[in-house]
């Protein structure tokens, strides 16, 4: 907390927001007891929200601010997918156990007896899987449309994760497909939950494709940010067809982080991520419900702020670079309008544009992409 306050020191609104969230709790400051202990004290639904506070960290606050019925749906959707991801991420699990678990996980949403012990590289994730019957029972109280969405998305994601357990991410198409399975489907599922709650809340022509881009934009940003952490954990999601244009081995980027080649590779990855922004803007223009707007806007704004910080930044290749938590807190407390969202996107795109100097490798491609993003915002006030 102290360090977070320090980082926000020059931004009084952010400090006010951080303290307010800390005082109000609001799901942002989770229970202090370990989740394992809470499991025996709380009823099913209270356990689900406690688990959400423990495992989703920064975004549990924004989930809390959704209308009640939708909040429960999103909370359970998140926990089911978190449980599935825990299985995917456990590198100690043998393939003959992991594969059927990933493929059949959606069926466990209809099985009250399902629970697993000893899976997960984090104590909270492990407790979540051990107490899965509590998630099941809370799930079973949701409306039918919501339940079928959660089951369908879990089935598709589990099957996609299973496909990628022994498939490497080589082409940009592989990268898009992997990100579709683990994040695009979340965007598609959330939109279905919004529409089940209010059929007029989001009005898009190509709903699934645009919702998919929302997930890809966030996931790719995290994958770029986590380069070093993932390298350390001996896993990688950067597509080989991009990095092999610059280095022989992906880890070479970390050995020479300030070289023009390493930075060009990083900037190439970021430019590939910017490609999804026009769809994100299209999505946000068509969200008709204020609370849903805020819920979807906060992660998008955090992602563009992160990309602006990561662009041409050698630290990404040797350390973990994160955006100030104060920004997230501020965004969660104040009503964000479509204009605010445009302003944040514009400001951060300009930061990238100013760092994209002529003469840098990959300069031209990034410039073209920045122009596309600016056109998608297409707002008089931001065109000067
Ligand atoms: Mg995973």
């Amino acid at each position: 907390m102290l360090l977070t306050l320090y980082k926000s020191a020059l931004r009084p609104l952010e400090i006010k927001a951080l303290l307010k969230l800390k005082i109000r709790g609001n799901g942002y400051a989770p229970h202090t007891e370990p989740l394992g202990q809470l499991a025996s004290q709380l009823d099913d639904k209270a356990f689900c929200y406690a688990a959400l506070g423990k495992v989703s960290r920064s975004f549990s606050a924004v989930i809390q601010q959704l209308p009640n019925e939708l909040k429960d749906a999103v909370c359970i959707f998140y926990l089911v997918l978190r449980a599935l991801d825990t299985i995917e991420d456990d590198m100690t699990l043998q393939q003959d156990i992991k594969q059927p678990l990933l493929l059949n996980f959606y069926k466990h949403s209809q099985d009250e007896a399902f629970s697993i012990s000893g899976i997960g590289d984090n104590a909270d994730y492990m407790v979540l899987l051990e107490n899965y019957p509590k998630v099941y029972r809370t799930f079973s109280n949701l409306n039918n449309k919501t339940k079928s969405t959660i089951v369908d998305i879990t089935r598709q994601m589990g099957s996609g994760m299973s496909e990628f357990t022994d498939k490497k991410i080589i082409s940009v198409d592989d990268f898009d497909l992997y990100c579709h399975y683990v994040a695009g489907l979340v965007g598609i599922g959330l939109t279905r939950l919004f529409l089940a709650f209010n059929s007029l809340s989001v009005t898009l022509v190509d709903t699934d494709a645009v919702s998919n881009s929302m997930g890809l934009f966030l996931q790719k940003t995290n994958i770029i940010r986590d380069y070093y952490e993932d390298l350390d954990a001996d896993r990688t999601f950067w597509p080989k067809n991009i990095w092999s244009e610059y280095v022989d081995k992906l880890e070479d980027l970390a050995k020479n982080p300030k070289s023009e080649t390493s930075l060009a590779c990083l900037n190439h990855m970021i430019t590939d991520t910017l490609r999804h922004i026009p769809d994100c803007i299209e999505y946000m223009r068509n969200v008709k419900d204020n609370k849903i707007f805020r819920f979807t806007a906060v992660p998008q704004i955090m992602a563009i702020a992160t990309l602006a910080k990561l662009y041409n930044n050698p630290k990404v290749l040797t350390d973990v670079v994160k955006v100030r938590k104060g920004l997230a807190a501020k965004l969660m407390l104040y009503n964000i309008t479509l204009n605010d969202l445009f302003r944040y996107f514009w400001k951060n795109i300009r930061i990238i544009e100013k760092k994209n100097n002529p003469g840098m490798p990959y300069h031209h491609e990034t410039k073209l992409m920045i122009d596309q993003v600016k056109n998608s915002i297409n707002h008089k006030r931001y065109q000067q």
Side-chain angles (χ1 to χ4, degrees):
M1 183 68 187
L2 264 183
L3 185 66
T4 314
L5 278 181
Y6 171 76
K7 284 184 179 161
S8 293
L10 299 172
R11 296 173 176 85
L13 270 180
E14 290 186 12
I15 294 185
K16 214 171 116 198
L18 274 169
L19 292 173
K20 219 166 164 184
L21 280 174
K22 181 101 179 130
I23 294 158
R24 286 217 318 239
N26 209 4
Y28 190 80
H31 291 268
T32 47
E33 304 93 322
L35 191 60
Q37 193 180 320
L38 291 167
S40 56
Q41 297 166 357
L42 300 174
D43 66 29
D44 294 340
K45 198 161 155 180
F47 170 80
C48 288
Y49 279 103
L52 182 71
K54 293 277 187 194
V55 303
S56 84
R57 296 182 293 262
S58 49
F59 294 122
S60 67
V62 85
I63 290 175
Q64 298 282 346
Q65 290 169 11
L66 286 172
N68 275 338
E69 192 187 330
L70 184 56
K71 183 169 83 168
D72 290 351
V74 173
C75 172
I76 297 305
F77 184 49
Y78 188 94
L79 291 180
V80 170
L81 300 183
R82 167 55 59 207
L84 176 65
D85 190 41
T86 301
I87 296 166
E88 190 210 17
D89 288 350
D90 192 325
M91 291 302 164
T92 63
L93 260 188
Q94 287 178 331
Q95 287 301 328
D96 57 335
I97 299 176
K98 192 186 237 185
Q99 287 286 0
L101 263 177
L102 290 174
L103 286 169
N104 296 315
F105 195 77
Y106 73 97
K107 292 181 188 159
H108 300 315
S109 307
Q110 289 129 313
D111 169 12
E112 179 163 11
F114 177 77
S115 135
I116 339 173
S117 300
I119 292 186
D121 51 9
N122 160 312
D124 292 327
Y125 298 170
M126 226 179 251
V127 175
L128 175 65
L129 280 167
E130 278 165 9
N131 289 278
Y132 208 71
K134 290 177 185 290
V135 179
Y136 163 80
R137 289 192 293 264
T138 314
F139 165 87
S140 61
N141 290 327
L142 299 171
N143 67 53
N144 287 338
K145 251 189 185 168
T146 297
K147 283 195 279 196
S148 63
T149 295
I150 295 177
V151 171
D152 180 46
I153 297 293
T154 309
R155 180 185 57 75
Q156 292 187 57
M157 191 182 290
S159 129
M161 284 171 166
S162 147
E163 182 186 328
F164 272 90
T165 50
D166 50 14
K167 182 175 160 178
K168 291 212 158 46
I169 300 171
I170 307 291
S171 65
V172 175
D173 281 349
D174 296 336
F175 188 38
D176 283 6
L177 183 61
Y178 177 74
C179 291
H180 161 73
Y181 288 139
V182 300
L185 283 170
V186 181
I188 291 169
L190 280 172
T191 306
R192 288 187 195 162
L193 298 185
F194 300 155
L195 292 171
F197 170 74
N198 170 0
S199 60
L200 300 172
S201 58
V202 187
T203 51
L204 288 159
V205 179
D206 200 350
T207 311
D208 280 359
V210 177
S211 306
N212 185 56
S213 299
M214 296 276 281
L216 262 60
F217 178 58
L218 303 184
Q219 185 69 17
K220 289 185 174 186
T221 301
N222 289 345
I223 285 175
I224 297 169
R225 183 199 63 199
D226 293 343
Y227 162 80
Y228 190 67
E229 200 177 291
D230 286 337
L231 194 66
D232 206 40
D234 207 19
R235 60 181 174 216
T236 179
F237 304 98
W238 288 34
K240 188 176 182 189
N241 286 359
I242 291 186
W243 61 257
S244 64
E245 279 186 37
Y246 303 92
V247 280
D248 293 333
K249 283 181 276 167
L250 184 62
E251 54 265 39
D252 292 349
L253 298 173
K255 290 181 190 149
N256 213 349
K258 289 185 181 161
S259 80
E260 210 176 51
T261 315
S262 299
L263 290 172
C265 181
L266 170 64
N267 296 342
H268 189 152
M269 288 290 292
I270 291 173
T271 304
D272 171 68
T273 308
L274 298 180
R275 174 164 61 91
H276 303 293
I277 294 180
D279 274 358
C280 297
I281 297 288
E282 160 87 3
Y283 189 101
M284 298 310 294
R285 275 186 206 280
N286 291 289
V287 178
K288 309 294 183 207
D289 177 298
N290 276 343
K291 287 182 171 165
I292 293 176
F293 183 87
R294 178 154 64 165
F295 173 75
T296 41
V298 173
Q300 303 289 319
I301 293 172
M302 292 302 292
I304 187 64
T306 304
L307 286 179
K309 199 165 177 186
L310 304 184
Y311 185 81
N312 209 45
N313 183 349
K315 272 195 201 143
V316 180
L317 305 173
T318 55
D319 207 346
V320 181
V321 177
K322 298 220 160 144
V323 169
R324 306 182 314 273
K325 270 192 192 158
L327 174 61
K330 187 176 93 176
L331 294 172
M332 283 174 206
L333 282 180
Y334 298 95
N335 255 329
I336 304 163
T337 63
L338 187 60
N339 266 331
D340 296 330
L341 180 102
F342 287 156
R343 191 164 45 80
Y344 277 110
F345 267 89
W346 194 265
K347 184 178 109 184
N348 286 294
I349 274 296
R350 286 283 297 137
I351 292 175
I352 296 176
E353 192 172 34
K354 282 182 196 154
K355 290 200 268 181
N356 181 32
N357 293 322
M360 269 165 56
Y362 218 69
H363 161 267
H364 184 65
E365 291 83 347
T366 305
K367 185 182 181 306
L368 290 178
M369 193 56 74
I370 288 172
D371 289 344
Q372 283 185 33
V373 170
K374 285 174 144 184
N375 283 335
S376 75
I377 297 173
N378 188 25
H379 193 283
K380 280 199 295 293
R381 195 186 306 176
Y382 302 111
Q383 290 296 319
Q384 295 98 26

